[in-house]
PDB file of all heavy atoms in Angstrom:
ATOM      1  N   VAL A   1       1.404  -7.628 -10.191  1.00  0.00           N
ATOM      2  CA  VAL A   1       1.564  -6.887 -11.506  1.00  0.00           C
ATOM      3  C   VAL A   1       2.919  -7.036 -12.108  1.00  0.00           C
ATOM      4  O   VAL A   1       3.158  -7.104 -13.184  1.00  0.00           O
ATOM      5  CB  VAL A   1       1.231  -5.460 -11.195  1.00  0.00           C
ATOM      6  CG1 VAL A   1       1.507  -4.572 -12.468  1.00  0.00           C
ATOM      7  CG2 VAL A   1      -0.255  -5.291 -10.801  1.00  0.00           C
ATOM      8  N   MET A   2       3.962  -7.067 -11.139  1.00  0.00           N
ATOM      9  CA  MET A   2       5.372  -6.890 -11.751  1.00  0.00           C
ATOM     10  C   MET A   2       5.937  -8.337 -11.969  1.00  0.00           C
ATOM     11  O   MET A   2       6.685  -8.554 -12.988  1.00  0.00           O
ATOM     12  CB  MET A   2       6.263  -6.196 -10.693  1.00  0.00           C
ATOM     13  CG  MET A   2       6.026  -4.773 -10.672  1.00  0.00           C
ATOM     14  SD  MET A   2       6.487  -3.947 -12.135  1.00  0.00           S
ATOM     15  CE  MET A   2       8.316  -4.346 -12.174  1.00  0.00           C
ATOM     16  N   TYR A   3       5.767  -9.269 -11.141  1.00  0.00           N
ATOM     17  CA  TYR A   3       6.694 -10.446 -11.155  1.00  0.00           C
ATOM     18  C   TYR A   3       6.100 -11.733 -11.491  1.00  0.00           C
ATOM     19  O   TYR A   3       6.786 -12.813 -11.595  1.00  0.00           O
ATOM     20  CB  TYR A   3       7.360 -10.584  -9.817  1.00  0.00           C
ATOM     21  CG  TYR A   3       8.188  -9.341  -9.512  1.00  0.00           C
ATOM     22  CD1 TYR A   3       7.914  -8.423  -8.480  1.00  0.00           C
ATOM     23  CD2 TYR A   3       9.355  -9.116 -10.177  1.00  0.00           C
ATOM     24  CE1 TYR A   3       8.696  -7.370  -8.265  1.00  0.00           C
ATOM     25  CE2 TYR A   3      10.182  -8.121 -10.010  1.00  0.00           C
ATOM     26  CZ  TYR A   3       9.839  -7.261  -9.012  1.00  0.00           C
ATOM     27  OH  TYR A   3      10.597  -6.079  -8.740  1.00  0.00           O
ATOM     28  N   VAL A   4       4.817 -11.824 -11.703  1.00  0.00           N
ATOM     29  CA  VAL A   4       4.316 -13.074 -12.177  1.00  0.00           C
ATOM     30  C   VAL A   4       4.606 -13.336 -13.626  1.00  0.00           C
ATOM     31  O   VAL A   4       4.930 -14.504 -14.047  1.00  0.00           O
ATOM     32  CB  VAL A   4       2.618 -13.139 -11.969  1.00  0.00           C
ATOM     33  CG1 VAL A   4       2.128 -14.370 -12.573  1.00  0.00           C
ATOM     34  CG2 VAL A   4       2.385 -13.143 -10.470  1.00  0.00           C
ATOM     35  N   SER A   5       4.692 -12.248 -14.366  1.00  0.00           N
ATOM     36  CA  SER A   5       5.064 -12.400 -15.810  1.00  0.00           C
ATOM     37  C   SER A   5       6.170 -11.343 -16.147  1.00  0.00           C
ATOM     38  O   SER A   5       5.824 -10.248 -16.643  1.00  0.00           O
ATOM     39  CB  SER A   5       3.885 -12.211 -16.767  1.00  0.00           C
ATOM     40  OG  SER A   5       3.179 -11.015 -16.437  1.00  0.00           O
ATOM     41  N   PRO A   6       7.444 -11.600 -15.721  1.00  0.00           N
ATOM     42  CA  PRO A   6       8.429 -10.442 -15.990  1.00  0.00           C
ATOM     43  C   PRO A   6       8.655 -10.182 -17.412  1.00  0.00           C
ATOM     44  O   PRO A   6       9.240  -9.112 -17.757  1.00  0.00           O
ATOM     45  CB  PRO A   6       9.680 -11.089 -15.301  1.00  0.00           C
ATOM     46  CG  PRO A   6       9.465 -12.568 -15.322  1.00  0.00           C
ATOM     47  CD  PRO A   6       8.018 -12.730 -15.137  1.00  0.00           C
ATOM     48  N   GLY A   7       8.307 -11.049 -18.280  1.00  0.00           N
ATOM     49  CA  GLY A   7       8.570 -10.917 -19.677  1.00  0.00           C
ATOM     50  C   GLY A   7       7.352 -10.156 -20.439  1.00  0.00           C
ATOM     51  O   GLY A   7       7.172 -10.056 -21.535  1.00  0.00           O
ATOM     52  N   SER A   8       6.424  -9.585 -19.626  1.00  0.00           N
ATOM     53  CA  SER A   8       5.122  -9.069 -20.159  1.00  0.00           C
ATOM     54  C   SER A   8       5.299  -7.629 -20.788  1.00  0.00           C
ATOM     55  O   SER A   8       4.427  -7.029 -21.333  1.00  0.00           O
ATOM     56  CB  SER A   8       3.924  -9.049 -19.201  1.00  0.00           C
ATOM     57  OG  SER A   8       4.467  -8.246 -18.025  1.00  0.00           O
ATOM     58  N   GLY A   9       6.472  -7.051 -20.542  1.00  0.00           N
ATOM     59  CA  GLY A   9       6.860  -5.730 -21.217  1.00  0.00           C
ATOM     60  C   GLY A   9       6.179  -4.514 -20.521  1.00  0.00           C
ATOM     61  O   GLY A   9       5.682  -3.661 -21.197  1.00  0.00           O
ATOM     62  N   HIS A  10       6.214  -4.362 -19.363  1.00  0.00           N
ATOM     63  CA  HIS A  10       5.671  -3.152 -18.591  1.00  0.00           C
ATOM     64  C   HIS A  10       6.644  -2.074 -19.007  1.00  0.00           C
ATOM     65  O   HIS A  10       7.894  -2.120 -18.973  1.00  0.00           O
ATOM     66  CB  HIS A  10       5.624  -3.310 -17.156  1.00  0.00           C
ATOM     67  CG  HIS A  10       4.798  -4.497 -16.636  1.00  0.00           C
ATOM     68  ND1 HIS A  10       3.449  -4.503 -16.881  1.00  0.00           N
ATOM     69  CD2 HIS A  10       5.107  -5.633 -16.090  1.00  0.00           C
ATOM     70  CE1 HIS A  10       2.841  -5.517 -16.224  1.00  0.00           C
ATOM     71  NE2 HIS A  10       4.031  -6.330 -15.952  1.00  0.00           N
ATOM     72  N   PRO A  11       6.119  -0.897 -19.287  1.00  0.00           N
ATOM     73  CA  PRO A  11       6.951   0.281 -19.439  1.00  0.00           C
ATOM     74  C   PRO A  11       7.830   0.550 -18.225  1.00  0.00           C
ATOM     75  O   PRO A  11       7.459   0.252 -17.158  1.00  0.00           O
ATOM     76  CB  PRO A  11       5.985   1.457 -19.602  1.00  0.00           C
ATOM     77  CG  PRO A  11       4.604   0.866 -20.090  1.00  0.00           C
ATOM     78  CD  PRO A  11       4.583  -0.569 -19.423  1.00  0.00           C
ATOM     79  N   VAL A  12       9.079   1.078 -18.551  1.00  0.00           N
ATOM     80  CA  VAL A  12      10.088   1.167 -17.572  1.00  0.00           C
ATOM     81  C   VAL A  12       9.614   1.995 -16.372  1.00  0.00           C
ATOM     82  O   VAL A  12       9.698   1.712 -15.166  1.00  0.00           O
ATOM     83  CB  VAL A  12      11.257   1.766 -18.089  1.00  0.00           C
ATOM     84  CG1 VAL A  12      12.381   2.070 -16.975  1.00  0.00           C
ATOM     85  CG2 VAL A  12      11.899   0.831 -19.116  1.00  0.00           C
ATOM     86  N   GLU A  13       8.994   3.273 -16.730  1.00  0.00           N
ATOM     87  CA  GLU A  13       8.505   4.072 -15.641  1.00  0.00           C
ATOM     88  C   GLU A  13       7.341   3.476 -14.753  1.00  0.00           C
ATOM     89  O   GLU A  13       7.323   3.697 -13.577  1.00  0.00           O
ATOM     90  CB  GLU A  13       7.927   5.473 -16.269  1.00  0.00           C
ATOM     91  CG  GLU A  13       8.987   6.234 -17.045  1.00  0.00           C
ATOM     92  CD  GLU A  13      10.259   6.516 -16.147  1.00  0.00           C
ATOM     93  OE1 GLU A  13       9.983   6.841 -14.832  1.00  0.00           O
ATOM     94  OE2 GLU A  13      11.345   6.444 -16.514  1.00  0.00           O
ATOM     95  N   VAL A  14       6.643   2.638 -15.419  1.00  0.00           N
ATOM     96  CA  VAL A  14       5.491   2.021 -14.603  1.00  0.00           C
ATOM     97  C   VAL A  14       6.277   0.910 -13.695  1.00  0.00           C
ATOM     98  O   VAL A  14       5.730   0.803 -12.579  1.00  0.00           O
ATOM     99  CB  VAL A  14       4.426   1.306 -15.584  1.00  0.00           C
ATOM    100  CG1 VAL A  14       3.550   0.308 -14.806  1.00  0.00           C
ATOM    101  CG2 VAL A  14       3.851   2.305 -16.498  1.00  0.00           C
ATOM    102  N   GLN A  15       7.165   0.285 -14.201  1.00  0.00           N
ATOM    103  CA  GLN A  15       7.877  -0.684 -13.268  1.00  0.00           C
ATOM    104  C   GLN A  15       8.504   0.140 -12.134  1.00  0.00           C
ATOM    105  O   GLN A  15       8.384  -0.531 -10.998  1.00  0.00           O
ATOM    106  CB  GLN A  15       9.195  -1.274 -14.136  1.00  0.00           C
ATOM    107  CG  GLN A  15       8.757  -2.327 -15.277  1.00  0.00           C
ATOM    108  CD  GLN A  15       9.820  -2.933 -15.964  1.00  0.00           C
ATOM    109  OE1 GLN A  15      10.962  -2.926 -15.407  1.00  0.00           O
ATOM    110  NE2 GLN A  15       9.666  -3.298 -17.173  1.00  0.00           N
ATOM    111  N   LYS A  16       9.037   1.129 -12.219  1.00  0.00           N
ATOM    112  CA  LYS A  16       9.703   1.913 -11.214  1.00  0.00           C
ATOM    113  C   LYS A  16       8.565   2.488 -10.139  1.00  0.00           C
ATOM    114  O   LYS A  16       8.820   2.195  -9.015  1.00  0.00           O
ATOM    115  CB  LYS A  16      10.462   3.170 -11.680  1.00  0.00           C
ATOM    116  CG  LYS A  16      11.687   2.851 -12.486  1.00  0.00           C
ATOM    117  CD  LYS A  16      12.519   4.082 -12.580  1.00  0.00           C
ATOM    118  CE  LYS A  16      13.057   4.098 -13.956  1.00  0.00           C
ATOM    119  NZ  LYS A  16      13.916   5.369 -14.176  1.00  0.00           N
ATOM    120  N   ILE A  17       7.497   2.833 -10.698  1.00  0.00           N
ATOM    121  CA  ILE A  17       6.364   3.303  -9.852  1.00  0.00           C
ATOM    122  C   ILE A  17       5.871   2.206  -8.916  1.00  0.00           C
ATOM    123  O   ILE A  17       5.579   2.304  -7.773  1.00  0.00           O
ATOM    124  CB  ILE A  17       5.277   4.112 -10.557  1.00  0.00           C
ATOM    125  CG1 ILE A  17       5.999   5.394 -11.186  1.00  0.00           C
ATOM    126  CG2 ILE A  17       4.055   4.449  -9.687  1.00  0.00           C
ATOM    127  CD1 ILE A  17       4.999   6.132 -12.227  1.00  0.00           C
ATOM    128  N   VAL A  18       5.566   1.028  -9.689  1.00  0.00           N
ATOM    129  CA  VAL A  18       4.962   0.002  -8.933  1.00  0.00           C
ATOM    130  C   VAL A  18       5.933  -0.619  -7.854  1.00  0.00           C
ATOM    131  O   VAL A  18       5.570  -0.921  -6.869  1.00  0.00           O
ATOM    132  CB  VAL A  18       4.594  -1.193 -10.040  1.00  0.00           C
ATOM    133  CG1 VAL A  18       4.063  -2.418  -9.184  1.00  0.00           C
ATOM    134  CG2 VAL A  18       3.512  -0.675 -10.963  1.00  0.00           C
ATOM    135  N   SER A  19       7.289  -0.723  -8.273  1.00  0.00           N
ATOM    136  CA  SER A  19       8.309  -1.083  -7.414  1.00  0.00           C
ATOM    137  C   SER A  19       8.399  -0.109  -6.220  1.00  0.00           C
ATOM    138  O   SER A  19       8.540  -0.655  -5.039  1.00  0.00           O
ATOM    139  CB  SER A  19       9.710  -1.299  -8.000  1.00  0.00           C
ATOM    140  OG  SER A  19       9.636  -2.132  -9.135  1.00  0.00           O
ATOM    141  N   LEU A  20       8.263   1.072  -6.395  1.00  0.00           N
ATOM    142  CA  LEU A  20       8.361   2.196  -5.394  1.00  0.00           C
ATOM    143  C   LEU A  20       7.187   1.924  -4.454  1.00  0.00           C
ATOM    144  O   LEU A  20       7.215   2.100  -3.225  1.00  0.00           O
ATOM    145  CB  LEU A  20       8.268   3.491  -5.984  1.00  0.00           C
ATOM    146  CG  LEU A  20       8.665   4.696  -5.151  1.00  0.00           C
ATOM    147  CD1 LEU A  20      10.055   4.645  -4.740  1.00  0.00           C
ATOM    148  CD2 LEU A  20       8.401   6.016  -5.881  1.00  0.00           C
ATOM    149  N   PHE A  21       6.071   1.559  -5.080  1.00  0.00           N
ATOM    150  CA  PHE A  21       4.807   1.364  -4.190  1.00  0.00           C
ATOM    151  C   PHE A  21       4.975   0.227  -3.178  1.00  0.00           C
ATOM    152  O   PHE A  21       4.801   0.471  -2.043  1.00  0.00           O
ATOM    153  CB  PHE A  21       3.664   1.047  -5.146  1.00  0.00           C
ATOM    154  CG  PHE A  21       2.359   1.024  -4.367  1.00  0.00           C
ATOM    155  CD1 PHE A  21       1.690   2.263  -4.155  1.00  0.00           C
ATOM    156  CD2 PHE A  21       1.699  -0.083  -3.941  1.00  0.00           C
ATOM    157  CE1 PHE A  21       0.476   2.258  -3.529  1.00  0.00           C
ATOM    158  CE2 PHE A  21       0.518  -0.085  -3.309  1.00  0.00           C
ATOM    159  CZ  PHE A  21      -0.141   1.117  -3.068  1.00  0.00           C
ATOM    160  N   TYR A  22       5.539  -0.909  -3.631  1.00  0.00           N
ATOM    161  CA  TYR A  22       5.570  -2.091  -2.655  1.00  0.00           C
ATOM    162  C   TYR A  22       6.946  -2.023  -1.845  1.00  0.00           C
ATOM    163  O   TYR A  22       7.004  -2.753  -0.787  1.00  0.00           O
ATOM    164  CB  TYR A  22       5.410  -3.348  -3.416  1.00  0.00           C
ATOM    165  CG  TYR A  22       6.511  -3.843  -4.357  1.00  0.00           C
ATOM    166  CD1 TYR A  22       7.727  -4.242  -4.000  1.00  0.00           C
ATOM    167  CD2 TYR A  22       6.335  -3.829  -5.726  1.00  0.00           C
ATOM    168  CE1 TYR A  22       8.739  -4.709  -4.826  1.00  0.00           C
ATOM    169  CE2 TYR A  22       7.251  -4.141  -6.615  1.00  0.00           C
ATOM    170  CZ  TYR A  22       8.478  -4.512  -6.208  1.00  0.00           C
ATOM    171  OH  TYR A  22       9.390  -4.991  -7.107  1.00  0.00           O
ATOM    172  N   SER A  23       7.919  -1.355  -2.296  1.00  0.00           N
ATOM    173  CA  SER A  23       9.152  -1.347  -1.562  1.00  0.00           C
ATOM    174  C   SER A  23       9.255  -0.196  -0.591  1.00  0.00           C
ATOM    175  O   SER A  23      10.054  -0.114   0.406  1.00  0.00           O
ATOM    176  CB  SER A  23      10.311  -1.270  -2.475  1.00  0.00           C
ATOM    177  OG  SER A  23      10.314   0.034  -3.217  1.00  0.00           O
ATOM    178  N   VAL A  24       8.528   0.919  -0.790  1.00  0.00           N
ATOM    179  CA  VAL A  24       8.512   2.168   0.061  1.00  0.00           C
ATOM    180  C   VAL A  24       7.171   2.471   0.751  1.00  0.00           C
ATOM    181  O   VAL A  24       7.081   2.788   1.900  1.00  0.00           O
ATOM    182  CB  VAL A  24       9.094   3.446  -0.753  1.00  0.00           C
ATOM    183  CG1 VAL A  24       9.170   4.593   0.187  1.00  0.00           C
ATOM    184  CG2 VAL A  24      10.634   2.984  -1.255  1.00  0.00           C
ATOM    185  N   ILE A  25       6.210   2.622  -0.132  1.00  0.00           N
ATOM    186  CA  ILE A  25       4.851   3.171   0.301  1.00  0.00           C
ATOM    187  C   ILE A  25       4.177   2.171   1.184  1.00  0.00           C
ATOM    188  O   ILE A  25       3.645   2.433   2.197  1.00  0.00           O
ATOM    189  CB  ILE A  25       4.019   3.518  -0.971  1.00  0.00           C
ATOM    190  CG1 ILE A  25       4.700   4.428  -1.947  1.00  0.00           C
ATOM    191  CG2 ILE A  25       2.713   3.988  -0.477  1.00  0.00           C
ATOM    192  CD1 ILE A  25       5.103   5.755  -1.222  1.00  0.00           C
ATOM    193  N   THR A  26       4.214   0.806   0.901  1.00  0.00           N
ATOM    194  CA  THR A  26       3.465  -0.114   1.525  1.00  0.00           C
ATOM    195  C   THR A  26       4.137  -0.292   3.018  1.00  0.00           C
ATOM    196  O   THR A  26       3.301  -0.315   4.003  1.00  0.00           O
ATOM    197  CB  THR A  26       3.540  -1.527   0.932  1.00  0.00           C
ATOM    198  OG1 THR A  26       2.859  -1.456  -0.473  1.00  0.00           O
ATOM    199  CG2 THR A  26       2.780  -2.651   1.778  1.00  0.00           C
ATOM    200  N   PRO A  27       5.406  -0.320   3.129  1.00  0.00           N
ATOM    201  CA  PRO A  27       5.985  -0.466   4.547  1.00  0.00           C
ATOM    202  C   PRO A  27       5.634   0.770   5.330  1.00  0.00           C
ATOM    203  O   PRO A  27       5.488   0.840   6.598  1.00  0.00           O
ATOM    204  CB  PRO A  27       7.457  -0.571   4.310  1.00  0.00           C
ATOM    205  CG  PRO A  27       7.678  -1.185   3.038  1.00  0.00           C
ATOM    206  CD  PRO A  27       6.474  -0.685   2.205  1.00  0.00           C
ATOM    207  N   LEU A  28       5.416   1.977   4.653  1.00  0.00           N
ATOM    208  CA  LEU A  28       5.197   3.195   5.296  1.00  0.00           C
ATOM    209  C   LEU A  28       3.646   3.160   5.783  1.00  0.00           C
ATOM    210  O   LEU A  28       3.316   3.678   6.912  1.00  0.00           O
ATOM    211  CB  LEU A  28       5.358   4.404   4.333  1.00  0.00           C
ATOM    212  CG  LEU A  28       4.844   5.768   4.855  1.00  0.00           C
ATOM    213  CD1 LEU A  28       5.690   6.219   6.068  1.00  0.00           C
ATOM    214  CD2 LEU A  28       5.027   6.894   3.711  1.00  0.00           C
ATOM    215  N   CYS A  29       2.820   2.525   4.934  1.00  0.00           N
ATOM    216  CA  CYS A  29       1.331   2.644   5.386  1.00  0.00           C
ATOM    217  C   CYS A  29       0.978   1.510   6.416  1.00  0.00           C
ATOM    218  O   CYS A  29       0.094   1.696   7.224  1.00  0.00           O
ATOM    219  CB  CYS A  29       0.450   2.352   4.134  1.00  0.00           C
ATOM    220  SG  CYS A  29       0.565   3.700   2.850  1.00  0.00           S
ATOM    221  N   ASN A  30       1.790   0.387   6.515  1.00  0.00           N
ATOM    222  CA  ASN A  30       1.409  -0.717   7.400  1.00  0.00           C
ATOM    223  C   ASN A  30       1.225  -0.316   8.820  1.00  0.00           C
ATOM    224  O   ASN A  30       0.215  -0.721   9.440  1.00  0.00           O
ATOM    225  CB  ASN A  30       2.387  -1.883   7.208  1.00  0.00           C
ATOM    226  CG  ASN A  30       2.200  -2.576   5.921  1.00  0.00           C
ATOM    227  OD1 ASN A  30       1.305  -2.265   5.152  1.00  0.00           O
ATOM    228  ND2 ASN A  30       3.146  -3.473   5.528  1.00  0.00           N
ATOM    229  N   PRO A  31       2.203   0.456   9.339  1.00  0.00           N
ATOM    230  CA  PRO A  31       1.897   0.848  10.831  1.00  0.00           C
ATOM    231  C   PRO A  31       0.603   1.659  11.052  1.00  0.00           C
ATOM    232  O   PRO A  31      -0.098   1.489  12.002  1.00  0.00           O
ATOM    233  CB  PRO A  31       3.167   1.632  11.058  1.00  0.00           C
ATOM    234  CG  PRO A  31       4.198   1.266  10.183  1.00  0.00           C
ATOM    235  CD  PRO A  31       3.391   0.953   8.900  1.00  0.00           C
ATOM    236  N   LEU A  32       0.291   2.565  10.054  1.00  0.00           N
ATOM    237  CA  LEU A  32      -0.783   3.312  10.207  1.00  0.00           C
ATOM    238  C   LEU A  32      -2.075   2.344  10.114  1.00  0.00           C
ATOM    239  O   LEU A  32      -3.031   2.535  10.879  1.00  0.00           O
ATOM    240  CB  LEU A  32      -0.961   4.315   8.995  1.00  0.00           C
ATOM    241  CG  LEU A  32       0.092   5.491   9.218  1.00  0.00           C
ATOM    242  CD1 LEU A  32      -0.005   6.324   7.819  1.00  0.00           C
ATOM    243  CD2 LEU A  32      -0.133   6.173  10.414  1.00  0.00           C
ATOM    244  N   ILE A  33      -2.083   1.376   9.176  1.00  0.00           N
ATOM    245  CA  ILE A  33      -3.278   0.479   8.913  1.00  0.00           C
ATOM    246  C   ILE A  33      -3.484  -0.371  10.244  1.00  0.00           C
ATOM    247  O   ILE A  33      -4.610  -0.506  10.638  1.00  0.00           O
ATOM    248  CB  ILE A  33      -2.964  -0.378   7.674  1.00  0.00           C
ATOM    249  CG1 ILE A  33      -3.006   0.448   6.469  1.00  0.00           C
ATOM    250  CG2 ILE A  33      -4.046  -1.458   7.752  1.00  0.00           C
ATOM    251  CD1 ILE A  33      -2.556  -0.356   5.305  1.00  0.00           C
ATOM    252  N   TYR A  34      -2.313  -0.818  10.785  1.00  0.00           N
ATOM    253  CA  TYR A  34      -2.469  -1.803  11.968  1.00  0.00           C
ATOM    254  C   TYR A  34      -2.760  -1.122  13.328  1.00  0.00           C
ATOM    255  O   TYR A  34      -3.554  -1.566  14.188  1.00  0.00           O
ATOM    256  CB  TYR A  34      -1.240  -2.649  12.199  1.00  0.00           C
ATOM    257  CG  TYR A  34      -1.114  -3.865  11.232  1.00  0.00           C
ATOM    258  CD1 TYR A  34      -0.141  -3.958  10.285  1.00  0.00           C
ATOM    259  CD2 TYR A  34      -2.033  -4.811  11.247  1.00  0.00           C
ATOM    260  CE1 TYR A  34      -0.046  -4.942   9.399  1.00  0.00           C
ATOM    261  CE2 TYR A  34      -1.898  -5.897  10.416  1.00  0.00           C
ATOM    262  CZ  TYR A  34      -1.030  -5.909   9.538  1.00  0.00           C
ATOM    263  OH  TYR A  34      -0.886  -6.974   8.630  1.00  0.00           O
ATOM    264  N   SER A  35      -2.307   0.158  13.394  1.00  0.00           N
ATOM    265  CA  SER A  35      -2.445   0.836  14.663  1.00  0.00           C
ATOM    266  C   SER A  35      -3.816   1.677  14.767  1.00  0.00           C
ATOM    267  O   SER A  35      -4.463   1.658  15.823  1.00  0.00           O
ATOM    268  CB  SER A  35      -1.327   1.767  14.987  1.00  0.00           C
ATOM    269  OG  SER A  35      -1.223   2.805  13.964  1.00  0.00           O
ATOM    270  N   LEU A  36      -4.230   2.242  13.607  1.00  0.00           N
ATOM    271  CA  LEU A  36      -5.321   3.094  13.684  1.00  0.00           C
ATOM    272  C   LEU A  36      -6.697   2.316  13.861  1.00  0.00           C
ATOM    273  O   LEU A  36      -7.648   2.767  14.384  1.00  0.00           O
ATOM    274  CB  LEU A  36      -5.480   3.901  12.322  1.00  0.00           C
ATOM    275  CG  LEU A  36      -4.418   5.003  12.198  1.00  0.00           C
ATOM    276  CD1 LEU A  36      -4.623   5.702  10.789  1.00  0.00           C
ATOM    277  CD2 LEU A  36      -4.494   6.010  13.326  1.00  0.00           C
ATOM    278  N   ARG A  37      -6.704   1.082  13.479  1.00  0.00           N
ATOM    279  CA  ARG A  37      -7.944   0.247  13.588  1.00  0.00           C
ATOM    280  C   ARG A  37      -7.863  -0.760  14.667  1.00  0.00           C
ATOM    281  O   ARG A  37      -8.624  -1.634  14.823  1.00  0.00           O
ATOM    282  CB  ARG A  37      -8.109  -0.628  12.372  1.00  0.00           C
ATOM    283  CG  ARG A  37      -8.348   0.288  11.081  1.00  0.00           C
ATOM    284  CD  ARG A  37      -8.746  -0.594   9.891  1.00  0.00           C
ATOM    285  NE  ARG A  37      -9.948  -1.336  10.105  1.00  0.00           N
ATOM    286  CZ  ARG A  37     -11.108  -0.904   9.952  1.00  0.00           C
ATOM    287  NH1 ARG A  37     -11.410   0.395   9.401  1.00  0.00           N
ATOM    288  NH2 ARG A  37     -12.216  -1.546  10.116  1.00  0.00           N
ATOM    289  N   ASN A  38      -6.833  -0.589  15.673  1.00  0.00           N
ATOM    290  CA  ASN A  38      -6.677  -1.516  16.627  1.00  0.00           C
ATOM    291  C   ASN A  38      -6.642  -0.840  18.105  1.00  0.00           C
ATOM    292  O   ASN A  38      -5.489  -0.150  18.345  1.00  0.00           O
ATOM    293  CB  ASN A  38      -5.498  -2.421  16.485  1.00  0.00           C
ATOM    294  CG  ASN A  38      -5.383  -3.577  17.391  1.00  0.00           C
ATOM    295  OD1 ASN A  38      -5.232  -3.444  18.586  1.00  0.00           O
ATOM    296  ND2 ASN A  38      -5.282  -4.863  16.751  1.00  0.00           N
ATOM    297  N   LYS A  39      -7.619  -0.993  18.896  1.00  0.00           N
ATOM    298  CA  LYS A  39      -7.680  -0.341  20.168  1.00  0.00           C
ATOM    299  C   LYS A  39      -6.555  -0.632  21.105  1.00  0.00           C
ATOM    300  O   LYS A  39      -5.891   0.030  21.729  1.00  0.00           O
ATOM    301  CB  LYS A  39      -8.937  -0.516  20.841  1.00  0.00           C
ATOM    302  CG  LYS A  39     -10.222   0.052  20.108  1.00  0.00           C
ATOM    303  CD  LYS A  39     -11.517  -0.186  20.916  1.00  0.00           C
ATOM    304  CE  LYS A  39     -12.598   0.504  20.112  1.00  0.00           C
ATOM    305  NZ  LYS A  39     -13.952   0.196  20.809  1.00  0.00           N
ATOM    306  N   GLU A  40      -6.352  -2.069  21.168  1.00  0.00           N
ATOM    307  CA  GLU A  40      -5.305  -2.495  22.090  1.00  0.00           C
ATOM    308  C   GLU A  40      -3.793  -1.962  21.632  1.00  0.00           C
ATOM    309  O   GLU A  40      -2.998  -1.591  22.491  1.00  0.00           O
ATOM    310  CB  GLU A  40      -5.080  -4.007  22.026  1.00  0.00           C
ATOM    311  CG  GLU A  40      -6.309  -4.787  22.716  1.00  0.00           C
ATOM    312  CD  GLU A  40      -7.477  -4.989  21.797  1.00  0.00           C
ATOM    313  OE1 GLU A  40      -7.380  -4.427  20.514  1.00  0.00           O
ATOM    314  OE2 GLU A  40      -8.481  -5.475  22.001  1.00  0.00           O
ATOM    315  N   MET A  41      -3.677  -1.932  20.326  1.00  0.00           N
ATOM    316  CA  MET A  41      -2.327  -1.430  19.805  1.00  0.00           C
ATOM    317  C   MET A  41      -2.124   0.090  20.137  1.00  0.00           C
ATOM    318  O   MET A  41      -1.103   0.633  20.581  1.00  0.00           O
ATOM    319  CB  MET A  41      -2.227  -1.607  18.359  1.00  0.00           C
ATOM    320  CG  MET A  41      -0.896  -1.166  17.785  1.00  0.00           C
ATOM    321  SD  MET A  41       0.656  -1.835  18.581  1.00  0.00           S
ATOM    322  CE  MET A  41       0.497  -3.503  18.031  1.00  0.00           C
ATOM    323  N   LYS A  42      -3.254   0.844  19.873  1.00  0.00           N
ATOM    324  CA  LYS A  42      -3.150   2.308  20.186  1.00  0.00           C
ATOM    325  C   LYS A  42      -2.977   2.517  21.609  1.00  0.00           C
ATOM    326  O   LYS A  42      -2.167   3.387  22.144  1.00  0.00           O
ATOM    327  CB  LYS A  42      -4.520   2.961  19.689  1.00  0.00           C
ATOM    328  CG  LYS A  42      -4.635   3.104  18.241  1.00  0.00           C
ATOM    329  CD  LYS A  42      -5.720   4.114  17.775  1.00  0.00           C
ATOM    330  CE  LYS A  42      -7.113   3.324  17.928  1.00  0.00           C
ATOM    331  NZ  LYS A  42      -8.172   4.191  17.420  1.00  0.00           N
ATOM    332  N   ALA A  43      -3.616   1.707  22.569  1.00  0.00           N
ATOM    333  CA  ALA A  43      -3.480   1.920  24.041  1.00  0.00           C
ATOM    334  C   ALA A  43      -2.001   1.579  24.398  1.00  0.00           C
ATOM    335  O   ALA A  43      -1.412   2.297  25.160  1.00  0.00           O
ATOM    336  CB  ALA A  43      -4.369   0.932  24.701  1.00  0.00           C
ATOM    337  N   ALA A  44      -1.453   0.470  23.764  1.00  0.00           N
ATOM    338  CA  ALA A  44      -0.044   0.056  24.078  1.00  0.00           C
ATOM    339  C   ALA A  44       1.032   1.191  23.560  1.00  0.00           C
ATOM    340  O   ALA A  44       2.002   1.509  24.272  1.00  0.00           O
ATOM    341  CB  ALA A  44       0.258  -1.235  23.367  1.00  0.00           C
TER     342      ALA A  44
END
């Protein structure tokens, strides 16, 4: 959404929220996604 077309004119607040999503929220969710659905990882 953000970087394929940087000149597409996204509103500033939208840019910040989207950037916050992939820079903070996604790394926070990844451990939950990988561990909750994986029996071997949960056991380890």
Side-chain angles (χ1 to χ4, degrees):
V1 169
M2 285 295 298
Y3 296 110
V4 170
S5 53
S8 57
H10 301 291
V12 174
E13 295 306 317
V14 172
Q15 290 181 23
K16 289 192 221 179
I17 292 171
V18 175
S19 299
L20 196 66
F21 189 83
Y22 66 75
S23 63
V24 178
I25 305 302
T26 301
L28 174 64
C29 294
N30 286 353
L32 295 174
I33 294 170
Y34 279 117
S35 60
L36 291 178
R37 297 189 60 88
N38 192 299
K39 292 180 180 179
E40 291 86 356
M41 181 56 68
K42 285 191 286 186

